[in-house]
Amino acid sequence: MKQKASKVLLWTMIAIAVAWVIFILSCFTTDGIFEFWAWGLLAIITAPAILAVIVILGYIRSTLNGSKERDPVMYRFSMSMTIAFAVLTLAVVAVRLFLDGNDVSYPWSYLSLSSSMEKMGLAFGTITLFSFVIGILSQLVIKRFTRVNESQKADIVRTTGICLTVVICLAVLFVPQPMGSYNDGGSQQYESVLYQVINWNRTQEFDGTPFHEDDQNMRVYFFPFNCYEYDAKWKMNH
């Protein structure tokens, strides 16, 4: 029974991957540049979700097959990280696909919200992939060291795999990147997946009208406040 279920899962994973590749190729057959970019963007948005589904099915298949030589600590850690971020990926992609600009009103910014959803989907999908790959590779190396009774080296590999996964996760989610400045005289933007930093330096309105206000500080806007419009962010204790 388990062998049949394992084969079904394997062929399901292959079918999902093939279907998505066919979908990607079909984007090049659309007429018009706008249709092409619309379908291409949809393919990019759905890519992390497809990866997440395949990884989840892969772990279910791996659990069914079982392995007495599997390292329990590394397996549980990598499985927990992979499944958790795979589920987050699916949730974020689902929200992005059903996000309608007509339903978004002040203080939300539809462009910021949709962009944030896309970044989160890609980030969560990336963490899912790295957690899965690092977990598999670490277990293979640990298994090799365990067979030759080198438990100390196996412990080092296990610790390294866990630390590397955590570092990648934190880097992807929290390391900010400079995103230029607003057209308000020089307020600088820095964005990460889960937050935005604005170093306020508002000296004029967008139309060029001079503006002055003291106590303009650097502020951090965590999700979902990073998806607010410019004016709403400014009013949040700038």
Side-chain angles (χ1 to χ4, degrees):
M1 184 65 181
K2 288 184 178 181
Q3 291 181 349
K4 291 182 178 180
S6 178
K7 289 182 179 180
V8 170
L9 288 172
L10 176 61
W11 283 107
T12 302
M13 293 162 59
I14 294 174
I16 292 174
V18 171
W20 188 75
V21 170
I22 293 174
F23 173 65
I24 292 291
L25 295 177
S26 68
C27 296
F28 293 93
T29 64
T30 56
D31 297 328
I33 186 67
F34 293 108
E35 288 81 1
F36 169 77
W37 283 112
W39 286 104
L41 179 61
L42 182 60
I44 294 173
I45 293 174
T46 55
I50 297 299
L51 171 65
V53 170
I54 292 175
V55 169
I56 290 175
L57 294 178
Y59 259 120
I60 295 174
R61 182 171 178 269
S62 174
T63 302
L64 287 175
N65 291 335
S67 176
K68 295 181 179 179
E69 297 181 359
R70 178 188 294 153
D71 182 72
V73 176
M74 193 66 218
Y75 176 76
R76 290 171 185 169
F77 172 80
S78 61
M79 182 181 69
S80 299
M81 289 286 291
T82 302
I83 298 298
F85 280 99
V87 171
L88 287 173
T89 302
L90 293 175
V92 169
V93 171
V95 171
R96 175 62 185 89
L97 290 176
F98 289 101
L99 189 65
D100 188 352
N102 296 326
D103 296 332
V104 177
S105 58
Y106 187 85
W108 299 95
S109 166
Y110 173 72
L111 292 178
S112 297
L113 188 58
S114 60
S115 175
S116 181
M117 290 291 103
E118 292 167 13
K119 289 180 181 178
M120 289 172 68
L122 291 172
F124 292 159
T126 300
I127 295 173
T128 300
L129 178 60
F130 273 105
S131 299
F132 178 75
V133 172
I134 293 174
I136 294 296
L137 294 179
S138 298
Q139 289 185 73
L140 291 175
V141 178
I142 291 172
K143 183 189 298 184
R144 183 175 180 179
F145 285 136
T146 302
R147 286 177 178 175
V148 295
N149 296 321
E150 295 184 358
S151 58
Q152 187 174 2
K153 291 183 178 179
D155 292 339
I156 294 174
V157 173
R158 185 186 302 110
T159 303
T160 302
I162 293 174
C163 291
L164 182 60
T165 303
V166 172
V167 168
I168 291 175
C169 175
L170 294 177
V172 171
L173 295 180
F174 293 103
V175 174
Q177 300 292 329
M179 300 298 293
S181 60
Y182 285 113
N183 188 29
D184 62 355
S187 296
Q188 298 291 324
Q189 304 178 68
Y190 305 88
E191 290 186 3
S192 179
V193 174
L194 298 180
Y195 65 89
Q196 179 187 37
V197 178
I198 300 180
N199 187 14
W200 289 104
N201 185 28
R202 186 175 177 181
T203 60
Q204 65 183 36
E205 304 286 356
F206 285 150
D207 61 0
T209 304
F211 181 93
H212 176 75
E213 183 167 336
D214 295 327
D215 300 325
Q216 298 189 43
N217 302 316
M218 179 178 290
R219 304 295 299 182
V220 180
Y221 302 90
F222 287 97
F223 182 85
F225 302 110
N226 61 329
C227 300
Y228 278 12
E229 292 185 2
Y230 172 88
D231 291 336
K233 293 175 183 173
W234 169 257
K235 293 176 182 178
M236 292 177 61
N237 300 321
H238 58 270

